[in-house]
Amino acid sequence: MDTPANPPAEHHYLAGLDLAGRRVVVVGAGTVAQRRLPRLVGAGAAVEVIAPEATPAVEALADAGEITWTRRGYRDGDLDGAWYAVAAASPDEVNAAVGAEAERRRVFCVRSDRAVSGSAVTPAVAEHDGLLLGVLAGGFPRRSVAVRDALLEALQSGVVDEHADAPAPGVVLVGGGPGAPDLITVRGRRLLAKADLVVTDHLAPRELLEELGPHVEVVDASKIPYGRAANQDVINRTLIDGVRAGRFVVRLKGGDPYVFGRGFEELLACAEAGVPVTVVPGITSAFSVPAVADVPVTHRGVAHEVVVVSGHVAPDDERSLVDWPSLARLRGTLVLLMAVQRIESFAEVLIEHGRPADTPVAVVQEGTTATQRSLRTTLDRVGADVREQGVQPPAVVVIGPVAGLKD
C-alpha cells in the first residue's frame, strides 16, 4: 500500500512547461518511454530518443517523423542543448549517468527507475475539454492516480462544472450506447450533464436521467402521441422550440444516433430551422451487444464481412430496401436489429435463397443490462426458439458462423 499514513516529506513545485520547439531528450525506448512520448510530442517538443532498440510503438513514432531516434546507447554530452530530459533506460547505471549530466547542465530530469533521484517528477496527468490536470502525491503514485481519476470522473459526469457560463443554446444528438449507463461516451455524459432539456428514447440508458438536476426537463419521446410517423415531426419541433426558448437541448438516443436511430433526420430538421446541432457518436448495439454475449461479429478465417440490417419491415413489404436474396448468398455475418417480431420471415427468406438451415444464430436480449439473456440456436429453429423462450425486444440477432464459435 503506497498511501501515506502522514503527509509526505517531499514537496514539488507544480508548473506547466512550454516545450514547444524545444529539445527534449529521452534516454531509453522501452515501455516507460513509450508511455511518456505521446504527451511530449503533443506538447510540440522536439523530442530525441536515444536507445539502441525501441518498442514497435516508439519505432512507429520515429518512422512517422514525430520524434528523432538516435539508435545507440547514451553518451555523456547527449543533453547538450536540452531543456528537459527523461531517463528511462533499462540499466539503472545509465539513468544515474543521465541524471548526473542533467544536474551539471541544470536540465530538469525525470528518472523512471528512482524518482527521488531526479530533479523533476511526472504527475498523474489527464485532459478534459481543454483542461490539463496534474496531480502529485509526494512520491506515492497510486494516490496521485486515484485522485486524478476521481477528479476526471467528476468533470466528465458534471459533478464539477468547469465552465462558468452556461452552454449556448443548441441541440446535441448523443448516442447513449447499448444500455449500460457506463457505456455512454465521455463527451456524451459531459454534455448530458449540461442540458436544460433532454429528449430521450426508451432505449437510452435510463439511469443517466437520475443524475440530472431538478431544473432539467425530460421529455420521453417514446410516449409522444399521434402515431409513429407523426412522432418524428413532434420530436423535431420539440428540439427546435427548446433551442428557440434559449435552452441547451440534448437528444439522448440508444446506441449510435446514425445507426437506425433517425439521427440524421433530426439534424436535417434542425439545420433547416437554423438551429445549431452537434453529433456525439455512441457505441452501437449492433456490435457491442454481441460482444458482451461472447459473439465476435468478425473473426479471422471465419467472417470477413458484417452487414447490419434493419428488421423494421418484413422481406415482402413494399417499403423494404433490403436485397434479401443477396444477403442469403453472403457467407459472413448478418446482424439484425429490430427483428424479433419478424424473425421467422427473415430466416425463411434467407434459407430460401441459399443460407444453410444449420447456420448458427445468437439472439441477445437487453444486452449490457442486468436483464441480459442469450439464446443460441440455428437459422431453421430461431423462429420457434424465440417464441418458446419468450424473447422480447430489444434484442440483437446475429446470423453466421461467428455465432457458433463459443460452442
Side-chain angles (χ1 to χ4, degrees):
M1 182 175 181
D2 71 355
T3 300
N6 299 306
E10 290 182 49
H11 295 284
H12 296 99
Y13 185 79
L14 192 60
L17 299 180
D18 181 4
L19 297 176
R22 296 188 166 105
R23 185 170 186 258
V24 172
V25 176
V26 178
V27 178
T31 55
V32 174
Q34 178 179 319
R35 291 169 55 190
R36 299 285 181 260
L37 286 170
R39 198 166 294 281
L40 292 170
V41 171
V47 180
E48 179 182 0
V49 173
I50 299 174
E53 297 178 344
T55 66
V58 175
E59 188 171 355
L61 288 173
D63 291 342
E66 296 183 84
I67 64 171
T68 300
W69 179 18
T70 301
R71 306 188 186 201
R72 59 166 173 78
Y74 163 77
R75 298 171 186 167
D76 189 64
D78 280 340
L79 301 189
D80 184 27
W83 289 69
Y84 190 73
V86 177
S90 295
D92 293 349
E93 298 79 12
V94 174
N95 292 331
V98 174
E101 182 185 351
E103 193 73 19
R104 294 195 313 270
R105 293 182 179 273
R106 297 186 179 182
V107 175
F108 283 108
C109 178
V110 174
R111 283 188 57 174
S112 63
D113 60 328
R114 184 173 169 78
V116 295
S117 297
S119 55
V121 292
T122 302
V125 178
E127 291 189 44
H128 172 79
D129 196 25
L131 293 176
L132 184 61
L133 308 178
V135 180
L136 295 175
F140 295 91
R142 291 185 182 177
R143 188 184 188 201
S144 60
V145 167
V147 173
R148 175 205 63 189
D149 291 346
L151 289 173
L152 186 60
E153 183 177 355
L155 287 165
Q156 292 169 348
S157 64
V159 173
V160 174
D161 188 355
E162 76 277 17
H163 296 293
D165 300 325
V171 171
V172 181
L173 305 180
V174 174
D182 57 350
L183 289 179
I184 189 173
T185 65
V186 171
R187 179 179 296 178
R189 190 162 190 168
R190 173 171 57 81
L191 293 175
L192 178 62
K194 300 179 184 301
D196 301 308
L197 169 64
V198 176
V199 181
T200 183
D201 281 343
H202 70 288
L203 294 180
R206 295 169 295 179
E207 294 87 345
L208 295 176
L209 302 178
E210 298 178 4
E211 302 176 359
L212 300 174
H215 67 286
V216 181
E217 180 184 358
V218 177
V219 175
D220 187 345
S222 62
K223 294 182 179 179
I224 291 178
Y226 313 125
R228 190 175 186 89
N231 272 357
Q232 192 59 58
D233 293 335
V234 176
I235 292 170
N236 295 347
R237 178 53 54 190
T238 302
L239 300 176
I240 294 166
D241 289 348
V243 174
R244 287 178 174 171
R247 307 169 90 179
F248 183 66
V249 183
V250 170
R251 176 70 168 105
L252 183 61
K253 295 173 169 288
D256 181 274
Y258 283 0
V259 181
F260 303 133
R262 300 193 178 190
F264 200 67
E265 293 180 40
E266 294 167 358
L267 181 143
L268 291 175
C270 291
E272 185 177 348
V275 169
V277 60
T278 302
V279 179
V280 179
I283 301 174
T284 175
S285 60
F287 299 154
S288 58
V289 166
V292 297
D294 297 327
V295 180
V297 293
T298 66
H299 188 69
R300 185 170 59 176
V302 177
H304 291 175
E305 65 203 11
V306 183
V307 179
V308 182
V309 183
S310 168
H312 177 53
V313 295
D316 58 353
D317 193 304
E318 62 181 11
R319 297 171 297 169
S320 177
L321 302 176
V322 179
D323 186 346
W324 288 100
S326 294
L327 292 183
R329 291 191 291 272
L330 299 178
R331 293 186 294 172
T333 305
L334 297 182
V335 179
L336 308 185
L337 304 182
M338 302 176 289
V340 170
Q341 293 180 336
R342 301 175 181 82
I343 188 59
E344 282 184 302
S345 298
F346 299 139
E348 287 172 2
V349 73
L350 289 172
I351 293 173
E352 176 187 352
H353 291 282
R355 271 272 176 164
D358 62 352
T359 300
V361 177
V363 183
V364 188
Q365 177 180 325
E366 298 177 288
T368 78
T369 72
T371 54
Q372 173 182 319
R373 64 184 182 125
S374 301
L375 166 67
R376 300 286 184 134
T377 182
T378 54
L379 194 57
D380 58 345
R381 287 285 311 163
V382 63
D385 288 346
V386 162
R387 287 198 315 273
E388 181 181 324
Q389 296 295 325
V391 176
Q392 297 293 325
V396 176
V397 181
V398 182
I399 300 171
V402 293
L405 288 177
K406 185 177 181 181
D407 296 336

